[in-house]
Amino acid sequence: MDYEPQELETRWRDRWAEAGRYEADPDGEAEPTFITVPYPYPSGGMHIGHCRTYTVPDVYARYRRLQGDDVLFPIAWHVTGTPIIGAVERLKKGEEDQLSVLRDTYNVPEDTLEDLETPMGYARYFIENHYKSGMKQLGLSIDWRREFTTNDERYSKFITWQYERLKERGLLEKGLHPVKFCTDEENPVTTHDLLEGEEAEFQEYTLVKFEGEIGSDDVIAPMATLRPETVRGVTNAYAHPDGEYVRATVDSETWVVSSAAVEKLRLQERDIEIHEELSGADLIGETVTNPITGDEVLILPATFVDTDNATGVVMSVPAHSPDDYLALQEAKEDEERLREYGIDPADVADIEPIPILDIEEYGDVPAKTAVEAAGIESSDDPELADVTADLYQAEFHQGVMHDDYGEFAGMTVENVREQFRAHYAAEGAFDEMYEFTEEVVCRCGGDVEVAKQDTWFLRYNDAEWKQKAHQVLSGIDTIPENTRDQYDHTIDWLNEWPCIRNYGLGTRLPWDEDFVIEPLSDSTIYMSYYTIAHRIEDVPPEDLDTDFFDALFYGEDAVENPDERALDLHEEFDHWYPVDWRCSGNDLINNHLTFFQFHHGELFDESKWPEGITIMGMGLLEGEAMSSSKGHVVLPSKAIDEYGADTVRFFLLNSAEPWQDYDWRDDLVGSTRDQLERFWSRAQEVLDFDVPDEQPDLEHVDRWLLSKLQGTVREATEAMDGFETRTASQAVFYSFEEHLKWYRRRADLDREGAQWTLREVLRTRLRLLAPFVPFMTNELHEQLTGEPAEDADWPEPDPAFEDERVERRERLVESVTDDIHDIVDVTGTDPDTVRVYVAADWKRDVFETVRETGTNVGAVMGQVMEDPDLREKGDAVNDLVQDLVELVRERDDDELAALAGVDEQAVYEDAEAFLETEFDATVEVYAEDDPDADDPDGKADSAVPFRPAIHLA
RNA sequence: GCGAGGGUAGCCAAGCCUGGAAACGGCGGCGGACUUAAGAUCCGCUCCCGUAGGGGUCCAGGGGUUCAAAUCCCCUCCCUCGCACCA
């Protein structure tokens, strides 16, 4: 039978579907195992980069089934939030990029595009035609009865229950929060909605409220700065001479700021009324008072001031800012210009930098030192930015505040900034304003600004809640183990999390219908929903109130008059929960996986807390990140059509451990396919053997192979328990192929014993490989035994076949073969006779002495030299002891014990026939001290125990 | 900057926790078998030197511990990822 994966795999898919093979219902006897993976987000199609994420849990699920567990592996679809809506919008607008992704990358037929113009239509298309069909093609052992979407009515009731309960427990809080806001669409936007500035970050400027008289009005000129602690070093201020400014009431104060700033402040929840438009020239030459020092400073003209950034008025700290230092120098030199604005140049000439912090190796005036050291003379010098960055960096970490900072004196900037700012903000001298670090543009072309919005937060900063999350974590197996620190760190680091959005799919906030609960916040404990997803369909949504879910999750004592239907569902929940394993991506450690722990800690009893998390690496395609927008993807359907699902699975699981990145390379996938095909044809040969079931006489090599098989079972089992799919499949498949290679070279395969052995080996390996390549192994195992591999048991190591001495003996044959090969290669000879001399008995005695005495050469020599016969041999004994000490050091006790029991001469004599074929020569085995030994070149005495002397002729 | 993970032969990559064989395996390359040929398959070789199983150098760089270090400790250099309101 030839290997035809397409035909074979279709047949098994149909069988599974017809039998409902992976539908899991509580089974009283078996141990329940519940495995989940984050539900996919169908905002596009599935590509090969997604496949491993779902295949790893499948392999584990299949493994646990073979171990006899009752396994639940469900899937659902996450549609919450804006990505799908955004994708639909772009499609409806006919955006070329979007159309190209749909048409070219995901092969959506032209006449189907119309169906994709509603969010759920769009989602449904990709669910059915990509995810679901792809998962079925891959052979994922999913219980399909339990699928749902997060936009389903009943799921929403479940989310409603959860948020009602969190609110009751005081874990939700209302507050203001900065968001990205498109000024055209007048809506908050997400990173996915951006054309430019995806990298932009929120930057919180401190506004230092300088007071003064501009025109004839008392006003506040808020100077925007990122370094509020430098306020004592301010010598002057700058405004743009041609900039547009306004005088306006901001909340209850009168401010002068740029016109551009007004709009931003409005978005940041300020009450604003404009009184008068001003030009920069109106500000210049005026003096304002530093709210901290009380010093009066002059506003100077500067065209480098950006009126579109923050307030459009900046303070100047020439002692610590290279920009300000140069600008001041330049202002002093241009007296003409100062007079133009009615400023007395003498007043400017008097301005000297005021240092406010010390930093080693930068002298009294760090900015001056930095600028001069770099040889910068003009503010146009492109090197200035680097010099500035270096100085800021150094000052931040090493700068020590001067004495006039009072309670803040002596501290470093790093430690003082936040405190300092909070202190003067509380006094009313400082205010704040947000800006982006770069320009941000919406996909609609509109300008995106920072807006402050009313939001509900999850209080992840709550100390008690954090404590619970740590407790949950301490009970979780984290794979790989070194991710544990990251979770702990994330738990401590998480702050308040805004859990709602203004629009998007999903569940409305129960007490405020204007808001939708965002995706990361509606997916924290949904694994529990899988346990009842298919059966809750029988309950009308209007009955699904909070009491219902309390009874469902907490049982009959949780509420008065619990709903019988809920209690019924509770039994199934109770059967499957907690989650045994959550298999997820390493990019979710920082958010989802930690939220998952917080919410379980809060909402469930300790007995329902998750037990394991394993994280997965990314997929690359031919060494580069996959990208659907660039069309740099491979679709699973295409890969499976070309190679077969078993090959795709085997490659994904064998090329790297789950948590490592893997690289989908066509040539390597092709070679995986060849390997499976070879496995198949070798298996066919074994199937053709006609051997009885009961064990025939076995030879040494057969026992050797069977012993190796037991070790492989052990290794694979241990690896599977730790999700090490690569180690497990490598051991069972590739490493064992190496053993077979040797076995085929060594053994006479026409014997009944050999054929029986090979059949045993195949039967065992099929079961060990069943989680990885279920189609092929089921087929072959059924041909071999009448039963599919997945219905058999996971193999156990059989102690009757584990034999260290057998393995040691075979190792001796391997090394003597290697040694002869080496000599043949080096000498370039083709021997007719190969003579092997086994070390004399007295050498074995020395070996025994070393074993007993230990690996101290002196001690061994002392012991050995007590024997007068040995003493006579002199240097020969010394050399031998050196060799044997080394040999013993390199081996463990079991190995040595096994070696000690080996009759070396018998081993080589048994291998004579093999060696004769191997070298096409006559092979003679002698004892070193056999008086009749034929030893033409006197080689025999170089024999060492387990390292016979060799002579070629 | 903070947090995490890495740097192994032409390339990919195992080994590192639990120190003990120039270091699994794959790809690529070279040679051979089979074949009319190609492909596939199979067998060898693939750090340097060597006509006797040997010797030399080696696991980012530099120090240290040890009889023994890719593996343990310290320092330096370089790379990847995350630092949020987003799946």
Side-chain angles (χ1 to χ4, degrees), chain A residues 94-109:
Chain A
E95 276 184 27
E96 215 30 67
D97 286 355
Q98 175 69 353
L99 284 169
S100 148
V101 169
L102 295 176
R103 280 189 196 126
D104 307 332
T105 305
Y106 293 123
N107 305 321
V108 180

mmCIF file of all heavy atoms in Angstrom, chain A residues 94-109:
data_model
loop_
_atom_site.group_PDB
_atom_site.id
_atom_site.type_symbol
_atom_site.label_atom_id
_atom_site.label_comp_id
_atom_site.label_asym_id
_atom_site.label_seq_id
_atom_site.Cartn_x
_atom_site.Cartn_y
_atom_site.Cartn_z
ATOM 1 N N GLY A 94 -13.884 50.037 0.279
ATOM 2 C CA GLY A 94 -13.161 49.581 -0.905
ATOM 3 C C GLY A 94 -11.665 49.829 -0.840
ATOM 4 O O GLY A 94 -11.003 49.967 -1.872
ATOM 5 N N GLU A 95 -11.122 49.846 0.384
ATOM 6 C CA GLU A 95 -9.673 50.072 0.483
ATOM 7 C C GLU A 95 -8.893 48.959 -0.191
ATOM 8 O O GLU A 95 -9.115 47.781 0.058
ATOM 9 C CB GLU A 95 -9.268 50.145 1.968
ATOM 10 C CG GLU A 95 -9.460 51.512 2.547
ATOM 11 C CD GLU A 95 -8.953 51.565 3.985
ATOM 12 O OE1 GLU A 95 -8.050 50.789 4.346
ATOM 13 O OE2 GLU A 95 -9.496 52.396 4.740
ATOM 14 N N GLU A 96 -7.970 49.376 -1.046
ATOM 15 C CA GLU A 96 -7.237 48.425 -1.887
ATOM 16 C C GLU A 96 -6.464 47.385 -1.052
ATOM 17 O O GLU A 96 -6.514 46.190 -1.342
ATOM 18 C CB GLU A 96 -6.283 49.209 -2.796
ATOM 19 C CG GLU A 96 -6.097 48.632 -4.180
ATOM 20 C CD GLU A 96 -7.319 47.863 -4.727
ATOM 21 O OE1 GLU A 96 -8.392 48.478 -4.987
ATOM 22 O OE2 GLU A 96 -7.192 46.647 -4.883
ATOM 23 N N ASP A 97 -5.793 47.858 0.009
ATOM 24 C CA ASP A 97 -5.019 46.946 0.847
ATOM 25 C C ASP A 97 -5.886 45.837 1.420
ATOM 26 O O ASP A 97 -5.525 44.663 1.413
ATOM 27 C CB ASP A 97 -4.388 47.701 2.033
ATOM 28 C CG ASP A 97 -3.232 48.552 1.564
ATOM 29 O OD1 ASP A 97 -2.885 48.469 0.369
ATOM 30 O OD2 ASP A 97 -2.680 49.302 2.395
ATOM 31 N N GLN A 98 -7.038 46.275 1.903
ATOM 32 C CA GLN A 98 -7.928 45.330 2.547
ATOM 33 C C GLN A 98 -8.464 44.326 1.520
ATOM 34 O O GLN A 98 -8.509 43.125 1.759
ATOM 35 C CB GLN A 98 -9.083 46.085 3.221
ATOM 36 C CG GLN A 98 -10.146 45.211 3.834
ATOM 37 C CD GLN A 98 -9.634 44.455 5.061
ATOM 38 O OE1 GLN A 98 -8.444 44.489 5.374
ATOM 39 N NE2 GLN A 98 -10.521 43.754 5.734
ATOM 40 N N LEU A 99 -8.865 44.845 0.351
ATOM 41 C CA LEU A 99 -9.380 43.964 -0.692
ATOM 42 C C LEU A 99 -8.306 42.959 -1.108
ATOM 43 O O LEU A 99 -8.603 41.790 -1.348
ATOM 44 C CB LEU A 99 -9.817 44.803 -1.906
ATOM 45 C CG LEU A 99 -11.150 45.529 -1.703
ATOM 46 C CD1 LEU A 99 -11.390 46.540 -2.816
ATOM 47 C CD2 LEU A 99 -12.296 44.521 -1.628
ATOM 48 N N SER A 100 -7.082 43.433 -1.165
ATOM 49 C CA SER A 100 -6.010 42.547 -1.591
ATOM 50 C C SER A 100 -5.773 41.438 -0.575
ATOM 51 O O SER A 100 -5.549 40.285 -0.933
ATOM 52 C CB SER A 100 -4.751 43.385 -1.840
ATOM 53 O OG SER A 100 -3.617 42.637 -1.532
ATOM 54 N N VAL A 101 -5.838 41.780 0.717
ATOM 55 C CA VAL A 101 -5.682 40.744 1.737
ATOM 56 C C VAL A 101 -6.788 39.701 1.593
ATOM 57 O O VAL A 101 -6.543 38.499 1.608
ATOM 58 C CB VAL A 101 -5.704 41.355 3.161
ATOM 59 C CG1 VAL A 101 -5.816 40.259 4.208
ATOM 60 C CG2 VAL A 101 -4.464 42.194 3.390
ATOM 61 N N LEU A 102 -8.016 40.188 1.404
ATOM 62 C CA LEU A 102 -9.149 39.256 1.328
ATOM 63 C C LEU A 102 -9.078 38.408 0.066
ATOM 64 O O LEU A 102 -9.208 37.185 0.120
ATOM 65 C CB LEU A 102 -10.468 40.036 1.361
ATOM 66 C CG LEU A 102 -10.745 40.786 2.673
ATOM 67 C CD1 LEU A 102 -12.014 41.608 2.573
ATOM 68 C CD2 LEU A 102 -10.835 39.817 3.855
ATOM 69 N N ARG A 103 -8.850 39.079 -1.055
ATOM 70 C CA ARG A 103 -8.856 38.355 -2.340
ATOM 71 C C ARG A 103 -7.615 37.485 -2.514
ATOM 72 O O ARG A 103 -7.707 36.310 -2.814
ATOM 73 C CB ARG A 103 -8.845 39.358 -3.493
ATOM 74 C CG ARG A 103 -10.183 39.948 -3.811
ATOM 75 C CD ARG A 103 -10.021 40.749 -5.109
ATOM 76 N NE ARG A 103 -11.136 41.645 -5.302
ATOM 77 C CZ ARG A 103 -11.015 42.960 -5.513
ATOM 78 N NH1 ARG A 103 -9.822 43.523 -5.546
ATOM 79 N NH2 ARG A 103 -12.084 43.704 -5.682
ATOM 80 N N ASP A 104 -6.446 38.125 -2.328
ATOM 81 C CA ASP A 104 -5.213 37.435 -2.713
ATOM 82 C C ASP A 104 -4.643 36.565 -1.610
ATOM 83 O O ASP A 104 -4.199 35.454 -1.859
ATOM 84 C CB ASP A 104 -4.157 38.461 -3.155
ATOM 85 C CG ASP A 104 -4.709 39.390 -4.229
ATOM 86 O OD1 ASP A 104 -5.609 38.943 -4.968
ATOM 87 O OD2 ASP A 104 -4.270 40.546 -4.299
ATOM 88 N N THR A 105 -4.659 37.084 -0.379
ATOM 89 C CA THR A 105 -4.078 36.294 0.696
ATOM 90 C C THR A 105 -5.034 35.186 1.132
ATOM 91 O O THR A 105 -4.633 34.051 1.317
ATOM 92 C CB THR A 105 -3.723 37.192 1.904
ATOM 93 O OG1 THR A 105 -2.869 38.238 1.439
ATOM 94 C CG2 THR A 105 -3.004 36.406 2.991
ATOM 95 N N TYR A 106 -6.314 35.554 1.275
ATOM 96 C CA TYR A 106 -7.259 34.569 1.825
ATOM 97 C C TYR A 106 -8.243 34.004 0.813
ATOM 98 O O TYR A 106 -9.179 33.293 1.183
ATOM 99 C CB TYR A 106 -7.976 35.168 3.035
ATOM 100 C CG TYR A 106 -7.036 35.393 4.192
ATOM 101 C CD1 TYR A 106 -6.868 36.647 4.769
ATOM 102 C CD2 TYR A 106 -6.282 34.333 4.699
ATOM 103 C CE1 TYR A 106 -5.988 36.844 5.823
ATOM 104 C CE2 TYR A 106 -5.401 34.523 5.742
ATOM 105 C CZ TYR A 106 -5.254 35.774 6.302
ATOM 106 O OH TYR A 106 -4.375 35.963 7.343
ATOM 107 N N ASN A 107 -8.044 34.346 -0.449
ATOM 108 C CA ASN A 107 -8.837 33.731 -1.522
ATOM 109 C C ASN A 107 -10.351 33.827 -1.341
ATOM 110 O O ASN A 107 -11.077 32.870 -1.625
ATOM 111 C CB ASN A 107 -8.477 32.245 -1.674
ATOM 112 C CG ASN A 107 -6.995 32.049 -1.882
ATOM 113 O OD1 ASN A 107 -6.357 32.840 -2.595
ATOM 114 N ND2 ASN A 107 -6.427 31.042 -1.245
ATOM 115 N N VAL A 108 -10.829 34.945 -0.838
ATOM 116 C CA VAL A 108 -12.279 35.103 -0.713
ATOM 117 C C VAL A 108 -12.845 35.304 -2.125
ATOM 118 O O VAL A 108 -12.392 36.191 -2.847
ATOM 119 C CB VAL A 108 -12.640 36.325 0.156
ATOM 120 C CG1 VAL A 108 -14.153 36.464 0.278
ATOM 121 C CG2 VAL A 108 -11.985 36.207 1.528
ATOM 122 N N PRO A 109 -13.823 34.473 -2.531
ATOM 123 C CA PRO A 109 -14.384 34.632 -3.885
ATOM 124 C C PRO A 109 -15.068 35.988 -4.034
ATOM 125 O O PRO A 109 -15.671 36.502 -3.083
ATOM 126 C CB PRO A 109 -15.414 33.506 -3.981
ATOM 127 C CG PRO A 109 -15.122 32.583 -2.856
ATOM 128 C CD PRO A 109 -14.437 33.376 -1.793
#
